[in-house]
Amino acid sequence: MSDGTERHRQDTGLHQLYYDPNIENKNLAQKWLMQAQVSPQAWQFCWALLSPDKVPEIQYFGASALHTKISRYWSDIPSDQYETLKTQLFSQIACFSSGSKMVLTRLCVALASLALNTMPEVWPGAVPEMVRVFQEEGGGVDGRARCLALLELLTVLPEEFQTSRMPQYRKGQVRGALGREWGSVCPLLQQLLRQGDSPGAVKSRVLRCLSSWVLLDVPLSESEGLVEDCFTALPDPELFDTAVEAIVNAISQPDSQRYVNTLLKLVPQVLSLQEQLREAVQNGDMETSHGICRIAVALGENHSRALLEQVEHWQGFLALVNMIMFCTGIPGHYPVNETTSSLTLTFWYTLQDDIMSFDCERQAVYLQVYRPVYFQLVDVLLHKAQFPSDQEYASWSSDEKEQFRIYRVDISDTLMYVYEMLGAELLSNLYEKLGRILTNTEQASSWQHTEALLYGFQSIAETIDVNYSDVIPGLIGLLLRININNVQLADTVMFTIGALAEWLADHPVMLSSVLPLVLQALGNPDLSISSVSTLKKICRECKYDLPPYASNIVAVSREVLSKQIHKTSQCMWLMQALGFLLSALHVEEILRNLHSLITPYIQQLEKLADETPNPSNKLAIIHILGLLSNLFTTLDISKQEDESGESTAPPVKTAPLPPGPNPVVVVLQQVFALIQTVLSKWLNDSQVVEAVCAIFEKSVKTLLHDFAPMVSQLSEMLGQMYSTIPQASALDLTRQMVHIFARETDHFPPIKALFDLVTSVTLSIFQQGPRDHPDIVDSFMQLQAQALKRKPDLFLSESLDVKAVFHCGLLSLKFPEAPTVKSTCLFFTELLPRCSDVPPVARVVQENGKLLLQAVLEAIGGGSSRSLMEQFAEVLFSLNKHCFPLLTVWLKEALQAQGFPSTRVTTEQKDTFTQQILRERVNKRRMKDIVKEFTLVCRGLHGTEYAAEYCL
């Protein structure tokens, strides 16, 4: 194909990409152009596409193609062409210095990539030459355009280095070479920034260039003068943003903390911005206040320890801390009136960590100064956490409300952390303030103020043990005095009670005060999440103190559930809460409460089971089954003895464990026939089957061996379900049954029968073609692995075709779904160790193990994703450990084949791989490294930019 034809196709493709309204044509064009970029012909057509008669979009594609070839296919370029390529790029950059900005940038990136590939050996003085070339007169390009082009080139050079994927050793070499070039760049930038007649565009580009270079960790002492010059640029609105970025980047580099003298000089520079900051806040100039805050926080957050250690300069640093405090408390509501305060929160963590890391003597000195600061911070944060007026909050968008919610969570986390420094005094402080506003009859306070103080309590109590605190009883008393006339306030009251659930467990006398509040809130749909989660926490933590209240809690919950005022997830939480509650009752009481609670649902389920299946009754069935699942998840009477033993409560709290069947089992046996009826009509629906399986799976997990009375009938039902319509959820439940009951003599026969049956049914699926059922294959492999791990005797069964299961595993290794392949690898790593004690497994591995090795090698050779190589390495390791003599022969035979496992590997490389594999029978980590390295060789990626990332 001629160059002219190729260029015409490029032009057509680019026109389609940019201008064709048809999205299919756009996608096809983009795909074709991406392929064209990496083709050998790209070297010819890309220069032609840069022709002045082309539109900028086409020129941009030509420049991008050049960059792609240089950055990714550098090895294709002969070394004698380096100089020509460099000269051509310099020439094109000069041409475009007065042309399209986007094309100029791509050409600069291409030259930067060339420089990175050739420095320091081939092109040792890259930066001085760039400066010299663009400072020379000529070419009809004016000086300002040449200057801007040079600055663009110098800016993208470090950026290209940061994004390049060169190997680690090479990255270190190039970083060092670039660091040495700073000596040529810094004076140039200083000169341009200090020249009074430098245009604004040039100064802005200088600041961008500085931002780029400081990311290479150039010493702060060497850029000190430039950083100070950046402060002089801050009053200029056109330069403000780029100057802020440059200052922040310079002082945020990890290495900059070594230059304490420079940092001390920067403190007064930052403090001098306070007047500009206050003016910006008064004028509502959010951009300026945001930028100045970023500078103050960058200095404080990155260097608080270094500055704290300069004791003679303590007043300067304290002034900086107070400046950051001003930013934290900046007027207005986040995120509508201001977005600055959130930037400061991490600083307070850092400062506290640094203070607390000093030895006790120095720590005491710093705490004397900074404890009052942190008490002030608490006041500021709680003020910022306050909701706006109802009218203003109603005007906020849903996105603004969500951002405010996240902001409050961040404040909550900060308060929790600050508690570590301030301790019990902080709780007392909050309690006194709350007490004052709730008992002050002369001056009514806003609900927002009350809510914020409660939010502070909640933040601390959620994660800190407040059991020792002497203010909590008083707090409970104050909660009862609050006039709750607002949803946000009511929510916080609920969450605060929930946060005190552990305290209530140790002080059960207070339950009678708070439970009425919670049960009342339960009937309010606006308080759904807070009330239900609070009741769940109380029922979990205080269940042994709740029997006197149980009938009332169950009655209110039953009424709330019948009214359907809560969303599905909250209904499920409520059932979990009731499960905790019932767990502490006598069995007779549990059964009585269960009867009253679930009878309406059983009746509804009976009615639904008689109806013709439709989408509406399907959702109702799944909902009811979900309620039962969640109830049985937490209803566990077997833990009564353990928990009461750990508790400080008297032993009379718990009912003795009954000799009869578990209440959950009693209920399940009663509804078993009904569940079978539901299944008979909905067996084709995977969601209903999953919901049924979930009831039993959660019950089995909770009850463990107490589930024993149902093993036989559940095994029979599972077998019938799976035989009729195989579903992954049935296999998952079977795996759970195998895990718990396969080792028990009494239950082995039904478990064995079920295991044999589901295995036989699944083998028939494999014969028909398993590709449409990756979920079943995944679950099947997990079941087989569990059986081998828990009860290998299952593989001694005459009715189990071990060879067929083995071949199913071989097929499953080639599935594209990563979870399925991982489960299959797990199956083989459990199977291979059984060669020594399960004869059928030993025979199958001896006869077919070579096929397994070939499948693993094929995957390593490129047949499977590189992300799965660790799993295949584990299979190889298991083969090596348990089948060493056979593996020695199989490896030799398998790798003799020409072009296997990849056409890219030589015989020598395969021999080396074999020797490495056979040597590694102890260190699994080393085996994984060997496989990772070999798969890169097989894929032609060894030593490339991708390999550098993959092997990290």
Side-chain angles (χ1 to χ4, degrees):
M1 185 185 292
S2 70
D3 286 353
T5 308
E6 185 66 23
R7 284 198 299 276
H8 176 70
R9 289 185 65 187
Q10 301 287 340
D11 288 0
T12 305
L14 286 161
H15 187 275
Q16 282 183 322
L17 180 64
Y18 289 112
Y19 304 115
D20 195 322
N22 187 313
I23 192 68
E24 285 188 17
N25 289 346
K26 277 180 181 292
N27 290 339
L28 283 172
Q30 184 168 23
K31 187 177 178 182
W32 185 83
L33 289 166
M34 293 299 287
Q35 291 170 343
Q37 268 193 329
V38 301
S39 67
Q41 290 80 21
W43 287 115
Q44 283 74 46
F45 71 68
C46 58
W47 298 109
L49 294 179
L50 289 166
S51 170
D53 60 339
K54 303 292 184 186
V55 293
E57 289 84 357
I58 290 176
Q59 294 170 332
Y60 178 83
F61 180 80
S64 292
L66 270 174
H67 172 244
T68 300
K69 296 299 284 185
I70 293 169
S71 62
R72 295 189 186 177
Y73 301 94
W74 178 252
S75 57
D76 294 351
I77 308 171
S79 56
D80 59 356
Q81 296 292 311
Y82 293 169
E83 197 61 35
T84 306
L85 182 57
K86 181 172 67 174
T87 305
Q88 285 178 293
L89 282 167
F90 269 129
S91 172
Q92 288 290 346
I93 290 170
C95 290
F96 279 92
S97 61
S98 300
S100 167
K101 171 73 171 64
M102 65 178 183
V103 180
L104 172 65
T105 298
R106 293 313 292 168
L107 287 169
C108 287
V109 171
L111 182 55
S113 186
L114 185 148
L116 295 174
N117 278 301
T118 51
M119 65 169 53
E121 298 89 353
V122 180
W123 194 7
V127 172
E129 184 175 342
M130 291 173 184
V131 174
R132 180 180 53 76
V133 167
F134 283 96
Q135 282 182 335
E136 289 175 354
E137 300 283 342
V141 182
D142 70 79
R144 180 172 174 274
R146 283 202 315 276
C147 181
L148 288 171
L150 171 61
L151 288 170
E152 183 67 19
L153 179 56
L154 293 177
T155 300
V156 300
L157 184 60
E159 291 173 352
E160 179 67 6
F161 170 77
Q162 301 288 2
T163 56
S164 66
R165 292 172 170 174
M166 58 183 73
Q168 209 59 37
Y169 78 93
R170 174 79 184 138
K171 200 136 191 164
Q173 286 180 340
V174 177
R175 181 185 284 277
L178 282 172
R180 292 189 290 274
E181 302 285 17
W182 177 241
S184 304
V185 177
C186 186
L188 172 69
L189 299 184
Q190 268 189 313
Q191 179 190 348
L192 291 171
L193 202 54
R194 290 175 180 177
Q195 274 178 353
D197 58 348
S198 283
V202 170
K203 287 185 175 180
S204 178
R205 200 68 61 83
V206 167
L207 294 168
R208 270 190 56 223
C209 190
L210 172 60
S211 272
S212 181
W213 277 85
V214 294
L215 294 176
L216 293 174
D217 289 335
V218 297
L220 185 61
S221 57
E222 293 180 18
S223 58
E224 180 184 318
L226 257 176
V227 174
E228 289 179 359
D229 292 339
C230 292
F231 279 91
T232 63
L234 288 171
D236 186 337
E238 290 184 10
L239 300 179
F240 181 81
D241 289 340
T242 45
V244 167
E245 205 64 40
I247 294 168
V248 168
N249 284 345
I251 59 184
S252 298
Q253 292 314 299
D255 193 50
S256 57
Q257 60 192 322
R258 294 197 293 131
Y259 306 99
V260 178
N261 289 333
T262 303
L263 294 173
L264 289 171
K265 291 177 189 173
L266 289 174
V267 172
Q269 294 262 40
V270 174
L271 293 175
S272 69
L273 301 174
Q274 288 181 96
E275 189 55 42
Q276 190 179 355
L277 172 62
R278 283 192 167 81
E279 284 180 13
V281 170
Q282 285 172 0
N283 299 331
D285 181 355
M286 288 169 66
E287 287 77 14
T288 300
S289 57
H290 196 82
I292 294 174
C293 175
R294 283 185 64 203
I295 293 171
V297 168
L299 183 58
E301 193 175 306
N302 289 288
H303 307 294
S304 64
R305 186 177 179 89
L307 293 170
L308 277 168
E309 287 177 333
Q310 310 310 306
V311 182
E312 64 277 17
H313 297 278
W314 70 273
Q315 289 173 309
F317 182 59
L318 181 59
L320 178 65
V321 171
N322 285 322
M323 181 179 176
I324 295 172
M325 181 76 78
F326 175 82
C327 296
T328 304
I330 206 161
H333 287 288
Y334 183 96
V336 176
N337 313 114
E338 63 91 8
T339 55
T340 298
S341 58
S342 62
L343 299 177
T344 67
L345 298 180
T346 311
F347 163 74
W348 299 110
Y349 286 78
T350 307
L351 177 59
Q352 180 177 323
D353 283 345
D354 288 335
I355 290 170
M356 302 307 280
S357 68
F358 286 115
D359 60 70
C360 294
E361 193 177 333
R362 293 175 72 188
Q363 192 183 113
V365 173
Y366 287 119
L367 286 175
Q368 201 172 352
V369 175
Y370 287 101
R371 268 178 69 90
V373 172
Y374 272 83
F375 273 113
Q376 183 191 349
L377 173 66
V378 171
D379 291 341
V380 168
L381 289 176
L382 291 177
H383 180 74
K384 293 296 295 181
Q386 286 187 24
F387 279 87
S389 68
D390 294 339
Q391 185 178 358
E392 186 181 345
Y393 190 66
S395 70
W396 286 12
S397 68
S398 57
D399 184 51
E400 287 168 340
K401 288 177 180 176
E402 176 61 11
Q403 284 185 58
F404 182 59
R405 185 193 68 78
I406 294 168
Y407 175 67
R408 276 170 50 100
V409 170
D410 292 340
I411 286 177
S412 173
D413 292 342
T414 311
L415 289 170
M416 177 198 73
Y417 206 73
V418 167
Y419 179 83
E420 297 292 333
M421 177 191 276
L422 302 182
E425 196 181 338
L426 173 55
L427 286 179
S428 301
N429 188 290
L430 292 175
Y431 174 66
E432 286 169 16
K433 286 177 178 165
L434 186 62
R436 276 200 302 272
I437 64 171
L438 290 177
T439 56
N440 187 344
T441 53
E442 295 176 9
Q443 186 179 359
S445 67
S446 67
W447 70 262
Q448 287 92 340
H449 194 182
T450 304
E451 190 277 336
L453 284 167
L454 268 184
Y455 187 68
F457 262 113
Q458 175 207 325
S459 303
I460 295 163
E462 267 181 341
T463 47
I464 305 293
D465 181 8
V466 294
N467 283 4
Y468 64 87
S469 174
D470 56 359
V471 304
I472 303 301
L475 172 64
I476 299 282
L478 289 176
L479 285 175
L480 303 176
R481 298 182 63 128
I482 296 174
N483 178 25
I484 302 175
N485 55 6
N486 176 278
V487 170
Q488 283 87 16
L489 177 57
D491 254 338
T492 303
V493 169
M494 281 300 108
F495 282 127
T496 304
I497 294 171
L500 296 173
E502 287 186 35
W503 183 90
L504 288 167
D506 290 336
H507 304 81
V509 70
M510 303 300 289
L511 281 168
S512 59
S513 300
V514 298
L515 269 176
L517 280 177
V518 178
L519 294 178
Q520 183 183 355
L522 209 58
N524 185 343
D526 291 332
L527 305 177
S528 183
I529 292 175
S530 61
S531 62
V532 174
S533 66
T534 295
L535 182 63
K536 182 181 170 184
K537 285 179 181 177
I538 290 174
C539 289
R540 184 181 63 219
E541 301 299 334
C542 311
K543 60 184 173 185
Y544 297 114
D545 299 292
L546 290 177
Y549 313 99
S551 57
N552 191 24
I553 294 172
V554 171
V556 172
S557 301
R558 191 173 63 238
E559 184 184 354
V560 164
L561 286 166
S562 68
K563 289 180 179 176
Q564 299 181 348
I565 62 173
H566 295 303
K567 291 182 179 176
T568 299
S569 56
Q570 275 73 59
C571 292
M572 302 306 159
W573 290 359
L574 188 49
M575 278 302 204
Q576 288 177 23
L578 294 172
F580 286 123
L581 172 72
L582 298 180
S583 299
L585 303 181
H586 289 277
V587 170
E588 302 79 32
E589 292 178 70
I590 295 174
L591 288 169
R592 188 172 65 250
N593 279 289
L594 277 175
H595 179 74
S596 70
L597 183 63
I598 66 175
T599 295
Y601 295 110
I602 301 304
Q603 291 170 347
Q604 192 181 347
L605 195 60
E606 285 172 345
K607 185 184 171 191
L608 291 165
D610 290 336
E611 294 177 4
T612 306
N614 65 66
S616 174
N617 56 26
K618 170 187 167 178
L619 289 175
I621 287 170
I622 290 173
H623 180 74
I624 293 169
L625 294 174
L627 292 174
L628 294 176
S629 292
N630 281 276
L631 178 63
F632 298 153
T633 299
T634 54
L635 207 174
D636 185 8
I637 62 171
S638 66
K639 290 186 178 177
Q640 286 184 2
E641 280 185 350
D642 298 338
E643 296 194 15
S644 64
E646 292 170 9
S647 173
T648 57
V652 293
K653 284 186 171 183
T654 57
L657 287 180
N662 189 291
V664 172
V665 173
V666 173
V667 173
L668 284 174
Q669 287 174 329
Q670 288 173 354
V671 300
F672 197 81
L674 175 58
I675 289 174
Q676 284 182 306
T677 305
V678 171
L679 266 178
S680 66
K681 289 197 172 181
W682 290 92
L683 207 49
N684 283 310
D685 193 293
S686 62
Q687 289 176 305
V688 174
V689 172
E690 276 176 28
V692 168
C693 289
I695 289 181
F696 293 105
E697 189 174 0
K698 289 179 179 181
S699 301
V700 169
K701 281 182 179 176
T702 305
L703 302 180
L704 300 177
H705 297 286
D706 282 354
F707 191 82
M710 295 207 64
V711 169
S712 182
Q713 60 189 134
L714 180 57
S715 298
E716 188 180 343
M717 188 185 85
L718 269 175
Q720 291 169 354
M721 280 169 55
Y722 196 75
S723 300
T724 311
I725 296 184
Q727 308 244 10
S729 52
L731 287 174
D732 294 335
L733 179 51
T734 302
R735 174 165 52 88
Q736 197 69 35
M737 299 273 283
V738 167
H739 176 70
I740 294 169
F741 296 108
R743 287 181 176 177
E744 296 191 9
T745 308
D746 292 346
H747 301 300
F748 183 70
I751 294 293
K752 176 183 177 299
L754 174 61
F755 181 75
D756 288 349
L757 179 60
V758 297
T759 300
S760 172
V761 171
T762 311
L763 291 178
S764 65
I765 292 175
F766 271 89
Q767 288 173 353
Q768 295 158 18
R771 268 305 299 125
D772 294 335
H773 308 283
D775 56 336
I776 289 178
V777 174
D778 186 357
S779 294
F780 179 66
M781 285 297 136
Q782 288 186 51
L783 169 62
Q784 298 298 316
Q786 184 69 268
L788 286 160
K789 185 175 184 178
R790 297 292 291 179
K791 191 67 174 174
D793 289 3
L794 288 166
F795 277 70
L796 293 170
S797 170
E798 291 182 4
S799 57
L800 187 76
D801 190 341
V802 179
K803 182 177 179 180
V805 173
F806 187 92
H807 279 274
C808 288
L810 295 178
L811 282 172
S812 306
L813 281 178
K814 298 180 181 179
F815 268 51
E817 292 84 5
T820 304
V821 177
K822 286 181 181 179
S823 299
T824 308
C825 288
L826 176 65
F827 160 66
F828 281 117
T829 55
E830 292 290 349
L831 178 95
L832 294 168
R834 298 301 170 190
C835 289
S836 58
D837 56 2
V838 182
V841 170
R843 281 195 301 275
V844 167
V845 171
Q846 195 162 359
E847 293 168 8
N848 301 275
K850 183 181 172 184
L851 295 174
L852 172 60
L853 175 66
Q854 286 174 326
V856 170
L857 291 174
E858 188 179 322
I860 295 170
S864 283
S865 165
R866 279 185 292 149
S867 65
L868 294 165
M869 289 307 108
E870 290 203 359
Q871 283 74 27
F872 284 109
E874 290 196 7
V875 178
L876 260 185
F877 185 78
S878 197
L879 277 166
N880 202 23
K881 193 171 182 179
H882 302 286
C883 314
F884 181 73
L886 292 168
L887 180 64
T888 308
V889 177
W890 293 338
L891 264 174
K892 186 176 180 182
E893 291 175 356
L895 291 174
Q896 269 181 348
Q898 191 72 27
F900 182 83
S902 164
T903 54
R904 293 187 176 92
V905 287
T906 64
T907 304
E908 290 76 20
Q909 287 170 323
K910 288 196 276 188
D911 289 343
T912 303
F913 176 66
T914 301
Q915 290 165 14
Q916 289 176 319
I917 291 294
L918 295 175
R919 266 201 308 267
E920 210 47 72
R921 300 178 67 187
V922 178
N923 190 334
K924 195 185 288 186
R925 180 73 261 164
R926 174 69 187 130
M927 177 69 85
K928 290 177 180 179
D929 291 340
I930 293 165
V931 168
K932 276 187 174 183
E933 193 169 340
F934 189 63
T935 196
L936 290 171
V937 174
C938 290
R939 297 163 199 257
L941 296 172
H942 195 263
T944 65
E945 57 192 36
Y946 301 104
E949 265 190 5
Y950 179 62
C951 290
L952 284 178

